Amino acid sequence: TGQVIERFSKNDKIPTGAIEVKVTKLDVLNPAKLPPFLIEDETDGGDDLRMKYRYLDLRRTPVRRNLELRHRMMRETRNYLDSLNFIEVETPVLIKSTPEGARDFVVPSRMNPGEFYALPQSPQTFKQLLMVSGFDRYFQIVKCFRDEDLRADRQPEFTQIDCEMAFITQEDILNTFEGFIRHLFKTVKGVEIAELPRMYYADAMRLYGSDKPDTRFGMQFVELLTLADETPNDYQDPISDQNPDNIILEVGGLHHKADIDLVRNRGLKVFDEAELVVGINAKGAANYTRKQLDELTNFVKRPQIGATGLVYARVGEDGAVKSSVDKFYSPEDTQAWAAAFEAEPGDLLLILAGPAAKTRKALNELRLEMGQRLGLRDKNKFSPLWVIDFPLLEWDEENKRYHAMHHPFTSPKPEDLALIEHNSVPKDSHVVNRELEKIRANAYDMVINGVEVGGGSIRIHDRGVQEQMFSLLGFTKEEAVAQFGFLMNAFEYGAPPHGGIAFGFDRLCSLFGGADSIRDFIAFPKNNSGRDVMIDAPSPIANAQLDELQIKLK
């Protein structure tokens, strides 16, 4: 108790910095120990210590602001979807384990000994069943669970904005949820976002080596060696009647069938034996020192990237090109490289060679590293786009089988249904049927600044097509019925065409908050080992509980 008076030494960094209370009476409600770290914006507490005392860490202003941002984004999500007549429906948390996707978290059933529930990786089948039930527009801000290795943008439990619509096309989904993301940017960030461009998956892989390209900066891939047989499939333009002006890189990977060869037969073995030689133009980086170039070489040779080496070429102020492989190539050869890269004086060309898929993946990592080093990945700049026309299937070399690139319920493009009807998975599982890889999925991802923030598809709504899809994925009829019979049965009662999308809500929050880790926007996150160090979970349970569940530990 006391009198509010003007503060002698004012603090303009807090709202009440001009006043203070002249105390006349003080009651101590609860004595407090000295905190183990400073409760300040810039604290001396490391990650482990702050996670152990997360209830104290949550007192810090930056952490509180992150959760306030999360609250605003959740509120605006509901406002937008409610304005479009979406209905929020909760789906079960204890469900059936399914073999696709990441590992399930499983929950033993006491009342059904030896049987287990699974925690949902997503509400996919339930939202499809809601469409069968006649719910026209569904959404849910929902917890999902995946037992997989953790990283900055991954937690064992995470939140999705899950949405589904009936009687729609891909174009309806893209327009609706493009409007959604623009609404979030405007209401939460005060940023106006223009119409989202669209990029074919094949172009994204050819020009960026990633299906989630960071388009805040250019530095697109330039091929010095590629063979027609290696280039992406020669599809027809799938959306020529759907606003083609909105397709970026329209003449790209889907139509790129010519041989390119500016490097072979000069005696450089690594280029002569490569399936692909490809590089990037780091504008203005020709002044990189030998030490910096050695750092880049070591970067691409890291095991997680896997390149065998790096070739570089500098374009001098006089236009001459000096490369690390000059003894194999004439000045005319390297000038042809510079022309291919549209290089100017002061540019640095960075080139990798090897198997096509592996080399593109490695060059993607190098491109992102150079974008970071050159200050091109500004967290206050936002470059969203749609990536469309994914392959329906991808071959798993380790397990010698096909997997669904998105999930087993994704519909193929209607014009590609014939490819399913006329092809099957070879009986000899070691033989890949390349015709199946030409089937395009009616699927789409939203990418912002190199982060996949949302993905979805038009779903299969016909039992026959769904059975064909399960067959392509290696399910026997009996396995398909055991796992998904409930869904296929539902399709026989008048299932409408339907489709949807799910956004990673935690990823959106971290993107809007300018952070690299989603953990900063979750009130009580797990650490990189999947542990909650505050409550010490997971932990052993009593033998009596194990006996009740009829579980015996080894």
Side-chain angles (χ1 to χ4, degrees):
T1 304
Q3 182 182 6
V4 177
I5 61 173
E6 184 177 7
R7 190 169 181 153
F8 178 76
S9 179
K10 295 180 173 57
N11 182 354
D12 59 4
K13 293 182 173 57
I14 59 175
T16 58
I19 59 171
E20 60 185 355
V21 177
K22 185 176 181 181
V23 177
T24 56
K25 180 185 177 184
L26 175 68
D27 291 331
V28 177
L29 302 176
N30 202 336
K33 296 190 334 186
L34 182 69
F37 55 86
L38 292 174
I39 311 297
E40 294 180 358
D41 290 5
E42 299 296 330
T43 181
D44 58 350
D47 282 353
D48 291 342
L49 188 62
R50 289 188 294 108
M51 289 303 102
K52 183 176 180 180
Y53 296 94
R54 181 62 168 174
Y55 48 86
L56 298 179
D57 194 41
L58 288 168
R59 294 180 181 178
R60 295 172 53 238
T61 300
V63 182
R64 181 173 295 272
R65 284 178 181 159
N66 287 345
L67 294 184
E68 289 170 351
L69 172 66
R70 184 184 180 97
H71 163 72
R72 292 200 307 275
M73 293 186 66
M74 197 170 284
R75 182 186 65 207
E76 292 302 333
T77 295
R78 287 193 164 96
N79 288 345
Y80 179 83
L81 294 173
D82 183 64
S83 73
L84 295 181
N85 299 317
F86 281 78
I87 180 172
E88 187 167 6
V89 182
E90 292 178 285
T91 52
V93 174
L94 296 175
I95 65 167
K96 182 185 183 74
S97 181
T98 58
E100 289 294 320
R103 295 184 190 89
D104 288 327
F105 283 103
V106 295
V107 180
S109 171
R110 177 185 59 81
M111 293 184 287
N112 301 277
E115 297 185 322
F116 297 82
Y117 299 105
L119 302 181
Q121 296 186 29
S122 83
Q124 180 61 48
T125 54
F126 289 99
K127 65 183 180 184
Q128 290 191 251
L129 291 171
L130 285 169
M131 297 299 102
V132 176
S133 304
F135 287 83
D136 183 54
R137 296 182 172 199
Y138 143 94
F139 87 97
Q140 186 179 188
I141 300 177
V142 58
K143 279 284 186 208
C144 301
F145 307 85
R146 293 180 186 173
D147 185 6
E148 54 189 356
D149 295 336
L150 305 185
R151 58 190 187 206
D153 64 350
R154 188 181 284 170
Q155 283 273 299
E157 54 180 308
F158 57 96
T159 304
Q160 279 187 182
I161 306 169
D162 203 56
C163 308
E164 199 80 3
M165 302 169 71
F167 295 106
I168 44 79
T169 64
Q170 174 176 293
E171 197 67 18
D172 296 318
I173 297 286
L174 299 188
N175 289 334
T176 298
F177 291 98
E178 182 170 319
F180 165 67
I181 207 70
R182 292 169 74 182
H183 171 81
L184 280 187
F185 270 108
K186 184 175 181 179
T187 57
V188 177
K189 292 286 291 181
V191 173
E192 293 282 354
I193 295 292
E195 184 178 8
L196 270 65
R198 302 177 188 180
M199 185 184 296
Y200 294 120
Y201 168 86
D203 281 326
M205 297 305 295
R206 184 176 65 85
L207 294 170
Y208 297 93
S210 171
D211 59 2
K212 44 183 185 293
D214 186 344
T215 54
R216 283 175 292 181
F217 62 104
M219 217 181 288
Q220 293 177 353
F221 292 6
V222 174
E223 296 169 357
L224 298 180
L225 169 68
T226 188
L227 303 178
D229 289 344
E230 185 276 317
T231 55
N233 294 308
D234 189 15
Y235 302 134
Q236 298 297 313
D237 187 342
I239 45 177
S240 57
D241 60 341
Q242 296 180 14
N243 191 14
D245 291 339
N246 200 30
I247 302 298
I248 56 177
L249 313 173
E250 185 174 356
V251 180
L254 297 179
H255 313 285
H256 169 48
K257 298 296 290 181
D259 286 346
I260 299 171
D261 184 3
L262 297 177
V263 295
R264 285 191 305 179
N265 302 319
R266 311 294 202 282
L268 183 59
K269 185 177 180 182
V270 68
F271 282 3
D272 288 345
E273 297 180 354
E275 183 181 13
L276 175 71
V277 178
V278 63
I280 54 175
N281 181 358
K283 303 292 292 182
N287 60 353
Y288 260 40
T289 65
R290 182 58 186 264
K291 179 182 178 181
Q292 288 173 305
L293 291 168
D294 287 344
E295 287 175 355
L296 293 177
T297 302
N298 292 332
F299 174 83
V300 299
K301 291 171 73 173
R302 290 161 54 195
Q304 56 267 50
I305 296 178
T308 55
L310 174 68
V311 171
Y312 62 85
R314 293 185 176 95
V315 183
E317 292 303 321
D318 59 356
V321 180
K322 299 293 291 181
S323 81
S324 57
V325 289
D326 273 350
K327 70 178 182 179
F328 298 99
Y329 294 93
S330 69
E332 291 76 21
D333 289 330
T334 52
Q335 282 295 333
W337 297 4
F341 281 93
E342 298 182 357
E344 299 172 324
D347 291 349
L348 175 66
L349 312 182
L350 301 171
I351 302 166
L352 300 180
K358 182 178 179 181
T359 302
R360 285 196 175 98
K361 181 179 178 182
L363 189 59
N364 167 59
E365 296 294 336
L366 180 59
R367 174 182 178 269
L368 295 177
E369 174 70 12
M370 288 306 299
Q372 192 70 35
R373 288 182 176 223
L374 298 175
L376 303 175
R377 303 180 70 186
D378 182 356
K379 291 182 179 179
N380 295 312
K381 179 181 178 181
F382 300 97
S383 181
L385 73 152
W386 290 107
V387 177
I388 59 174
D389 280 17
F390 287 79
L392 185 70
L393 305 169
E394 58 182 341
W395 180 253
D396 181 346
E397 186 61 38
E398 183 178 345
N399 295 307
K400 303 296 182 184
R401 55 168 292 199
Y402 280 105
H403 287 296
M405 182 164 277
H406 278 73
H407 55 63
F409 315 107
T410 296
S411 174
K413 290 280 186 180
E415 57 268 36
D416 289 352
L417 280 171
L419 287 170
I420 293 181
E421 295 168 0
H422 297 145
N423 290 277
S424 60
V425 175
K427 292 181 180 179
D428 182 355
S429 63
H430 294 277
V431 178
V432 184
N433 184 350
R434 293 298 181 189
E435 287 300 302
L436 291 174
E437 297 180 9
K438 294 181 180 180
I439 304 171
R440 292 165 297 152
N442 221 341
Y444 33 83
D445 281 356
M446 184 183 289
V447 177
I448 305 177
N449 295 0
V451 177
E452 178 199 331
V453 298
S457 66
I458 304 302
R459 322 301 186 189
I460 296 170
H461 66 277
D462 175 86
R463 177 171 183 142
V465 176
Q466 188 64 73
E467 287 176 339
Q468 286 179 309
M469 182 66 173
F470 286 141
S471 176
L472 293 178
L473 297 174
F475 288 79
T476 65
K477 286 188 176 180
E478 294 73 22
E479 288 170 338
V481 169
Q483 293 289 342
F484 302 107
F486 65 92
L487 183 64
M488 291 191 289
N489 289 340
F491 288 166
E492 297 184 338
Y493 290 90
H498 58 281
I501 192 169
F503 289 91
F505 185 63
D506 310 292
R507 287 186 184 180
L508 277 175
C509 289
S510 64
L511 190 75
F512 276 50
D516 294 323
S517 174
I518 66 173
R519 198 167 69 178
D520 298 332
F521 297 83
I522 298 172
F524 299 102
K526 308 292 189 291
N527 68 11
N528 288 338
S529 300
R531 296 195 65 83
D532 186 327
V533 294
M534 182 183 69
I535 62 173
D536 192 25
S539 61
I541 61 174
N543 288 331
Q545 286 178 281
L546 293 171
D547 292 342
E548 198 172 35
L549 296 168
Q550 299 191 33
I551 292 177
K552 185 176 182 180
L553 302 179
K554 286 186 178 181

